[in-house]
Amino acid sequence: KWDQTSDSWDNAALAEEWAALRKIRGLANKAIEAARQGKAIGSSLDAELDIYLPPDSRLGKLLKAHEDELRQVCITSRAEVHSSAGFSEAKDAFVQEDAISAFGADVGVRAVCRRSSLHKCPRCWNFHSDHADALCRRCSDVVAGVGVGVSAV
């Protein structure tokens, strides 16, 4: 059958980590949708996301280890992980909180969504540019690598 895979691909630990990441993404999507309903953003790429949770929890350590990829998992322009002790209310933010069950423990998590303060890169559409109509650093490097003379501002 076409759907049979090698048993060596069965990785329970990795599956458990991805299950936890999907739960975080679910909570983040609730905050993003609240921001969309509040007309603060149009698409999820308009958003910046801050995740607050206990840093010493296994879930906190997982998110911190994958912080660079978290924005891609949540499809936002920025995502950062913070200690739950650093949370403070902001009037322009949309907050969702829940107890996320992961790795045999319930962890209190807050997902905070707000409109990005940066500008949209005209190439990748992520809000990474410091100036309007300017390429972000990543796109500038890519374009420079193919020999087109454009630089990030």
Side-chain angles (χ1 to χ4, degrees):
K1 285 176 95 177
W2 65 270
D3 61 345
Q4 292 180 344
T5 57
S6 169
D7 289 341
S8 66
W9 284 52
D10 188 18
N11 186 330
L14 184 61
E16 188 177 25
E17 287 181 0
W18 271 103
L21 288 170
R22 283 193 304 273
K23 289 177 183 181
I24 292 295
R25 184 180 65 191
L27 183 62
N29 283 344
K30 289 178 183 178
I32 291 166
E33 186 57 31
R36 186 177 291 122
Q37 292 295 319
K39 308 290 185 204
I41 63 170
S43 79
S44 62
L45 287 177
D46 296 344
E48 293 183 352
L49 191 62
D50 291 293
I51 304 291
Y52 293 87
L53 73 167
D56 56 342
S57 67
R58 187 164 170 204
L59 182 59
K61 290 175 184 176
L62 172 71
L63 293 184
K64 201 62 175 168
H66 296 289
E67 188 172 29
D68 290 342
E69 294 85 22
L70 193 56
R71 70 176 181 84
Q72 295 165 332
V73 170
C74 296
I75 312 173
T76 59
S77 286
R78 183 188 62 79
E80 291 183 7
V81 178
H82 308 278
S83 169
S84 52
F87 175 77
S88 62
E89 292 285 341
K91 67 177 182 171
D92 64 338
F94 295 83
V95 180
Q96 292 289 319
E97 59 184 293
D98 201 356
I100 301 290
S101 181
F103 308 112
D106 288 342
V107 178
V109 180
R110 284 188 181 103
V112 180
C113 178
R114 65 177 47 91
R115 181 167 187 77
S116 179
S117 60
L118 296 174
H119 298 276
K120 184 188 275 188
C121 171
R123 182 176 179 269
C124 70
W125 290 20
N126 283 290
F127 284 72
H128 291 254
S129 298
D130 292 325
H131 304 285
D133 299 321
L135 294 179
C136 67
R137 179 144 326 275
R138 179 182 168 274
C139 287
S140 179
D141 291 346
V142 169
V143 169
V146 294
V148 178
V150 177
S151 63
V153 178

